[in-house]
């Protein structure tokens, strides 16, 4: 299918908007968590996002059956509550936002590792090499972050666990061959599922009443309008006009942007060693994100060739 014509100068504008808005999710959580607990922040973010999308999800797109809703709720638990909640919890514990963004972008490496046993996709040697290089880069960044930061050690582990949960959810969705709903329907169901769980977690911490402070309102508004709706609008417009590989490659530039934002806004650590580790990691992600070679099975033939089909809510 022929792609719509795109003016030559449109790509730099879309790419810049995508990088900034994608990285803004980490900064918005950091900003709002200055005023309230991360569970309360995520409750209001996911609740507002889900409610705003609900009329569209009910009135347009395929009919939502009980089975489809239940499946999306399961993935909502994994990719919203556990994945997004894990990263937000780490940021709330003051893990540097740039490191959190970097670990988030390791999802293709984890998907590559899980695709062989679960999807029957044979990986090239360069992909295994890329996985090792990517992990080495994260260890370089983490070493400086651990030395300069103030977060507890377990919070760094939470970021890795959250990334692995997202990768597992993506691979399981591919394995099941689930009905491909429009993004606004999946985002609505998964957001409302996350909101219910974040609400319970916030109640366990005390209250779900939002603090009437400018910082909290700005942070949640930032997350809903800029990091969710604006970000994904730009993302899907770009996918319509440009190749998927070109669009996804831009997203991998979000960690350095996030590091600079965190340094400027919150005085988070920013060192040459961290940028070295970032460069090493990006090389690993680039190597790993090459296409897989499916085995000659029905499941293998039906498996998607590219990573990252599941909608991400971090950006």
């Amino acid at each position: 299918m022929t792609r719509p014509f795109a003016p030559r100068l449109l790509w730099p504008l879309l790419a810049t908007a995508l990088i900034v808005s994608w990285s803004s999710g980490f900064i918005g959580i950091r900003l709002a968590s200055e005023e309230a607990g991360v569970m309360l922040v995520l409750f209001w973010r996911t609740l507002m996002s889900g409610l705003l999308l609900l009329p569209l999800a009910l009135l347009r797109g395929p009919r939502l059956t009980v089975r489809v809703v239940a499946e999306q709720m399961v993935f909502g638990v994994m990719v919203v509550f556990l994945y997004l909640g894990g990263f937000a919890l780490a940021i709330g514990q003051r893990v540097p936002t740039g490191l959190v963004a970097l670990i988030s972008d390791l999802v293709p490496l984890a998907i590559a590792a899980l695709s062989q046993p679960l999807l029957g996709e044979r990986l090239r040697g360069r992909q295994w090499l890329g996985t090792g290089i990517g992990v080495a880069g994260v260890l370089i960044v983490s070493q400086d972050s651990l030395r300069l930061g103030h977060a507890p050690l377990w919070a760094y582990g939470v970021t890795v666990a959250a990334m692995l949960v997202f990768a597992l959810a993506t691979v399981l969705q591919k394995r099941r061959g689930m009905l491909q709903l429009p993004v606004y329907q999946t985002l609505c169901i998964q957001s409302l599922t996350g909101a219910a769980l974040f609400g319970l977690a916030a109640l366990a911490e005390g209250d779900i009443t939002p603090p009437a402070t400018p910082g909290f309102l700005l942070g949640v508004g930032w997350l809903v309008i800029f990091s969710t709706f604006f970000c994904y609008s730009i993302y899907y417009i770009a996918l319509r006009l440009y190749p998927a590989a070109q669009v996804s490659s831009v997203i991998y530039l979000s960690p350095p942007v996030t590091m600079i934002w965190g340094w400027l806004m919150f005085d988070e650590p920013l060192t040459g060693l961290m940028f070295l580790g970032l460069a090493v990691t990006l090389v690993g992600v680039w190597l790993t994100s090459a296409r897989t070679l499916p085995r000659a099975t029905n499941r293998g033939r039906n498996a998607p060739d590219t990573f990252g089909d599941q909608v991400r809510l971090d950006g």
Side-chain angles (χ1 to χ4, degrees):
M1 184 174 64
T2 303
R3 291 183 178 274
F5 171 76
R8 180 175 299 179
L9 294 179
L10 182 59
W11 171 244
L13 295 175
L14 285 177
T16 301
L18 185 57
I19 294 170
V20 173
S21 62
W22 199 275
S23 61
S24 70
F26 303 100
I27 301 301
I29 290 174
R30 178 72 164 82
L31 183 65
S33 67
E34 298 279 346
E35 306 290 336
V38 292
M39 295 297 110
L40 184 60
V41 172
L42 291 178
F43 168 68
W44 284 102
R45 175 192 177 172
T46 52
L47 179 64
M48 296 304 299
S49 298
L51 290 179
L52 288 172
L53 288 170
L54 187 58
L56 187 63
L58 293 176
L59 298 177
R60 298 193 61 183
R63 187 172 64 89
L64 296 174
T65 64
V66 173
R67 178 175 178 271
V68 168
V69 172
E71 285 182 332
Q72 290 300 324
M73 289 178 67
V74 170
F75 284 100
V77 173
M78 298 181 73
V79 305
V80 178
F81 182 66
L82 296 178
Y83 169 73
L84 181 59
F87 282 127
L89 183 61
I91 291 173
Q93 292 294 319
R94 298 304 180 256
V95 175
T97 51
L99 177 60
V100 175
L102 178 60
I103 294 176
S104 171
D105 278 351
L106 289 183
V107 166
L109 277 67
I111 292 176
L114 292 172
S115 291
Q116 182 160 347
L118 295 180
L119 296 179
E121 296 177 349
R122 183 167 56 87
L123 303 183
R124 295 186 177 98
R126 60 175 285 175
Q127 291 177 298
W128 288 117
L129 175 63
T131 300
I133 292 173
V135 171
V138 170
L139 291 177
I140 293 173
V141 178
S142 300
Q143 181 182 4
D144 234 13
S145 297
L146 284 168
R147 181 168 58 86
L148 298 172
H150 304 286
L153 186 60
W154 64 263
Y156 292 86
V158 165
T159 61
V160 177
M163 179 271 295
L164 292 174
V165 166
F166 182 89
L168 178 62
T170 303
V171 173
L172 289 178
Q173 183 172 3
K174 291 179 181 180
R175 182 184 176 93
R176 287 181 59 82
M178 291 170 54
L179 173 66
Q180 296 299 311
L181 296 176
V183 63
Y184 55 83
Q185 287 186 317
T186 59
L187 193 57
C188 175
I189 297 170
Q190 293 180 10
S191 293
L192 292 178
T193 302
L197 296 173
F198 287 133
L200 292 175
L203 280 174
E205 293 179 348
D207 194 6
I208 59 172
T209 304
T213 61
F216 182 84
L217 297 177
L218 175 62
V220 172
W222 178 319
L223 289 169
V224 173
I225 297 172
F226 192 53
S227 304
T228 301
F229 295 133
F230 178 78
C231 178
Y232 286 104
S233 296
I234 294 294
Y235 179 64
Y236 285 104
I237 289 172
L239 283 178
R240 285 194 60 196
L241 299 176
Y242 302 97
Q246 182 177 347
V247 176
S248 61
S249 65
V250 169
I251 296 173
Y252 294 131
L253 297 177
S254 64
V257 174
T258 306
M259 286 182 180
I260 294 172
W261 277 41
W263 174 64
L264 290 173
M265 295 182 64
F266 308 113
D267 197 28
E268 292 185 349
L270 186 65
T271 68
L273 188 61
M274 294 175 73
F275 276 103
L276 173 62
L278 173 66
V280 171
T281 301
L282 292 180
V283 170
V285 171
W286 174 73
L287 288 171
T288 307
S289 296
R291 290 187 176 185
T292 56
L293 297 175
R295 292 177 186 166
T297 62
N298 288 336
R299 190 176 67 192
R301 283 195 294 269
N302 293 332
D305 290 329
T306 56
F307 300 128
D309 293 337
Q310 178 68 46
V311 173
R312 292 172 56 184
L313 295 175
D314 52 335

